[in-house]
């Protein structure tokens, strides 16, 4: 009955999973705060969503973008920035597409035609334009101006948002390109348009525009290194946490209570169920990680062909998934600077009751506790791997399980 062709689980694909778990606060922020405020012309910062690999940041914003598109908003695709490429080219091309959707390409104003021509040049040459000595504005001003025109068109359409999603932002290592891109996006977010309101008054309002940046945790350091307070004023940064077990259980509850619907070959609907023991087993193996949750569910689905997923199917599927789960955690550890990895490995070697900063610092060989403080702060605030307190604890449960137990085997 069930086969790989109809699995609702999708690990590591950057798509919006059919079996969605958690992230209610981020989805609520879009639905209840960001969109309503920006549509009303009230200023609201852009959103930077960071996290370790597998935390589901791209899938989260793709879901937000899908919801926006379904309500009629103008949305760019996921603008993934490969390492070593010029981000202004990628964004400029996407904005030209949005301008067509906004009807700017058909505008008869010479000013709009000149602006589109400038952005087409940026799409072809990117930030290199600003390196050469030449007359005229730098590339970022063309992007800002086009974003403003698209935002003005959205105001005229009423209840339409412009949504821009730039992904893998940690790959923008060129300081000049990063500065120009963040400035263009930030200037558009803070731009104020004068509009007339009933009664003949004129007021200033923001553009109905949202910008999402997604990437690895180190982008926070990269963006703040030179722009500092300016970036913080224009973008609010969230580092994604692990998903709690209750949310993962809730995501699987439809399998237990009503079955997951599949189209049958006879034109009807069949259902795949999951026994409660299998539900608990998937959640325990996932350790709060969206990627591991999807991986465990997918392999359990593949482990049989009947209409009931059992705990035995979960265990059998996980035997095949364990090497991939281990490689996933090791990739996160291998990316850490030596000092940060030493800290968490030392912390893992202590019992939970021993995990104070003083004990960890002493075990790392430091003479002063304060020598370990900045490392602990980065692992907490920037990476979200640990949580500080009187006793430190792991927040990335898969890393803790890998370093302190036989998981994933």
């Amino acid at each position: 009955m069930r086969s790989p062709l109809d699995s609702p689980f999708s690990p590591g694909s950057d798509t919006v999973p059919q079996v969605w778990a958690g992230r209610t606060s981020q989805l609520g922020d879009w639905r209840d705060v960001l969109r309503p405020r920006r549509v009303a012309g009230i200023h609201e910062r852009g959103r930077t969503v960071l996290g370790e690999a597998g935390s589901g940041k791209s899938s989260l914003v793709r879901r937000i973008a899908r919801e926006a598109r379904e309500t009629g908003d103008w949305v760019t695709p996921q603008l993934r920035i490969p390492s070593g490429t010029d981000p202004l080219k990628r964004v400029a091309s996407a904005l030209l597409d949005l301008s067509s959707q906004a009807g700017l390409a058909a505008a008869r104003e010479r000013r709009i035609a000149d602006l589109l021509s400038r952005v087409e040049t940026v799409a072809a040459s990117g930030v290199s334009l600003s390196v050469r000595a030449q007359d005229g504005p730098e590339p970022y001003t063309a992007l800002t101006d086009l974003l403003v025109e698209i935002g003005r068109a959205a105001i005229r359409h009423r209840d339409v948002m412009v949504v821009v999603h730039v992904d893998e932002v940690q790959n923008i290592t060129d300081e000049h390109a990063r500065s120009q891109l963040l400035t263009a996006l930030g200037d558009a977010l803070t731009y104020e348009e004068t509009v007339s309101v009933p009664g003949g008054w004129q007021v200033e309002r923001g553009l109905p525009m949202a910008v999402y940046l997604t990437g690895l945790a180190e982008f926070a350091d990269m963006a703040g290194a030179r722009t500092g307070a300016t970036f913080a004023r224009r973008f609010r940064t969230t580092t994604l946490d692990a998903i709690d077990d209750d949310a993962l259980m809730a995501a699987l509850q439809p399998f237990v209570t009503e079955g997951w619907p599949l189209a049958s070959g006879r034109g009807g609907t069949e259902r795949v169920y999951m026994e409660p023991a299998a539900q608990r087993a998937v959640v325990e193996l996932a350790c709060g990680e969206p990627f591991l949750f999807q991986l465990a569910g997918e392999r359990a689905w593949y482990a049989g062909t009947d209409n009931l997923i059992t705990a035995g199917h979960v265990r059998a599927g996980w035997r095949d998934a364990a090497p991939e789960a281990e490689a996933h955690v090791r990739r996160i550890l291998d990316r850490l600077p030596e000092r940060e990895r030493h800290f968490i490995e030392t912390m893992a070697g202590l019992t939970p009751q021993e995990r104070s900063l003083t004990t960890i610092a002493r075990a790392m060989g430091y003479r002063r506790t304060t020598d370990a403080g900045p490392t602990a702060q980065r692992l907490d605030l920037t990476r979200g791997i640990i949580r500080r307190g009187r006793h430190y604890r792991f927040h990335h449960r898969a890393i803790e399980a890998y370093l302190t137990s036989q998981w994933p085997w």
Side-chain angles (χ1 to χ4, degrees), residues 63 87 91 94 113 189 221 225 286 288 302 344 350-351 385 401:
R63 172 162 175 170
V91 173
L189 288 173
D221 293 332
Y302 292 174
I344 62 174
L350 302 171
T351 65
I385 292 177

Side-chain angles (χ1 to χ4, degrees), residues 194-305:
T194 302
V195 297
S196 298
V197 296
W201 298 99
Q202 287 193 324
V203 298
E204 302 290 321
R205 58 153 295 160
L207 300 174
M209 181 173 298
V211 176
Y212 280 92
L213 309 177
T214 52
L216 298 177
E218 48 262 38
F219 177 74
D221 293 332
M222 297 165 62
R226 295 296 179 93
T227 54
T230 301
F231 175 73
R233 285 197 305 269
R234 294 179 168 188
F235 290 88
R236 191 182 83 187
T237 298
T238 298
T239 301
L240 292 184
D241 295 332
I243 299 176
D244 65 74
D245 285 353
D246 287 344
L248 296 179
M249 291 288 286
L252 295 176
Q253 191 62 25
F255 285 89
V256 177
T257 56
E258 58 199 57
W260 190 267
L262 297 177
S264 70
R266 298 181 297 275
T269 300
E270 299 175 326
R271 293 184 177 272
V272 174
Y273 293 84
M274 181 180 290
E275 64 180 19
Q279 179 189 27
R280 290 191 296 272
V282 169
V283 171
E284 289 171 3
L285 290 169
C287 296
E289 287 289 286
F291 169 73
L292 297 175
F293 174 71
Q294 296 291 328
L295 181 65
E298 176 192 71
R299 298 307 173 87
W301 184 281
Y302 292 174
T305 57

